Amino acid sequence: MSKGALFVISGPSGTGKGTVCAELLKTEDLFLSVSATTRDRRTGETDGITYHFTTVEQFKDMIVNGMMLEWAVYNDNYYGTPRQSVEKMLEEGKDVILEIEPQGALKVKEMLPEAVLIFIVPPSMRELKKRLTERGREDMDQIIKRLDAAKWEFEQAFKYNHIIVNDDLEDCVGQIKGIIAKRKQDNAFIYQLLNENY
Ligand code: 5GP
């Protein structure tokens, strides 16, 4: 049996990666890993679905006990991918998607080089600023901080397998679906070769 494929999606705040993942899940047979975080729950978020919301103490215990596949500090909060569910899905041949920031994504790539890293970028810095402003979640000071942070994230994009511009959502999602389909096909074929007698 073939192992599942692992896809990792990153992109600075405001690039629309959450919407992209939601679109992918509508049609693709993928398991979206639910991360753990110590940040406060926002309106409309559900514990166990959006995130596993934990205390800092609980999060640190999970790190010490080896329960995190990767973790990172982002905006003064801990975020991490629970190891067990992801490994179980991959072992069972199911394809998994992680929506995580670059520090964590690059740790995943180090541990699991077969992971496919996809970085989503906005069409321009102006457009990114416009999207963050229109979202209305942060004040201008915070938006400027996010735009500064985005520049560090863009530098990490070179380490990813694919860079996709999210100008038109449908086009962006279409390109990622193509990447997923190709990797699924490659995965199945390589495992078939590995299991063949000669
Ligand atoms: P937010 O607080 O807006 O939900 O997420 C902030 C950032 O944390 C986003 O870039 C998101 O992709 C990232 N993130 C969410 N879950 C994880 C995780 O498990 N690990 C890492 N490294 N980053 C995560």
Side-chain angles (χ1 to χ4, degrees):
M1 194 179 79
S2 57
K3 264 183 82 172
L6 179 60
F7 301 96
V8 180
I9 298 214
S10 302
S13 186
T15 39
K17 59 189 184 303
T19 314
V20 168
C21 285
E23 283 299 310
L24 289 172
L25 291 175
K26 281 186 190 165
T27 55
E28 303 300 294
D29 191 13
L30 292 167
F31 165 77
L32 176 69
S33 161
V34 179
S35 297
T37 184
T38 59
R39 85 144 159 76
D40 290 336
R41 183 146 54 102
R42 296 184 192 132
T43 322
E45 292 185 335
T46 313
D47 189 25
I49 294 178
T50 324
Y51 279 109
H52 298 289
F53 292 97
T54 72
T55 62
V56 172
E57 204 178 25
Q58 285 168 332
F59 198 101
K60 286 185 174 168
D61 277 350
M62 288 194 270
I63 297 174
V64 171
N65 293 323
M67 290 163 71
M68 290 298 184
L69 180 64
E70 62 72 35
W71 60 273
V73 176
Y74 179 92
N75 271 348
D76 300 329
N77 291 303
Y78 287 92
Y79 291 84
T81 306
R83 178 190 297 280
Q84 202 192 9
S85 49
V86 171
E87 287 183 345
K88 183 169 174 283
M89 289 291 165
L90 293 174
E91 279 306 321
E92 287 175 3
K94 294 180 185 133
D95 304 312
V96 176
I97 188 160
L98 311 179
E99 192 230 296
I100 64 177
E101 55 70 58
Q103 302 170 71
L106 296 172
K107 280 189 221 161
V108 170
K109 187 76 183 166
E110 244 175 66
M111 284 179 296
L112 304 167
E114 68 274 25
V116 180
L117 266 55
I118 301 167
F119 197 96
I120 301 180
V121 292
S124 68
M125 285 304 279
R126 252 174 211 281
E127 176 63 23
L128 185 61
K129 187 175 178 187
K130 182 167 164 267
R131 288 183 193 170
L132 286 170
T133 313
E134 284 173 0
R135 192 163 78 170
R137 230 196 260 158
E138 295 98 3
D139 60 30
M140 197 38 82
D141 269 3
Q142 287 169 318
I143 289 177
I144 298 296
K145 261 194 201 162
R146 291 199 178 237
L147 291 169
D148 285 343
K151 295 224 165 159
W152 176 82
E153 293 198 36
F154 290 143
E155 284 167 13
Q156 311 314 308
F158 294 117
K159 301 168 193 163
Y160 280 59
N161 299 100
H162 303 275
I163 298 175
I164 309 287
V165 182
N166 184 15
D167 191 1
D168 175 73
L169 179 66
E170 205 178 316
D171 176 56
C172 170
V173 171
Q175 288 188 56
I176 298 176
K177 281 184 183 174
I179 292 168
I180 292 174
K182 171 80 169 76
R183 174 47 70 99
K184 283 186 180 192
Q185 205 179 23
D186 290 347
N187 231 30
F189 186 56
I190 294 294
Y191 279 101
Q192 181 189 317
L193 288 177
L194 287 171
N195 289 317
E196 266 175 26
N197 294 321
Y198 52 88

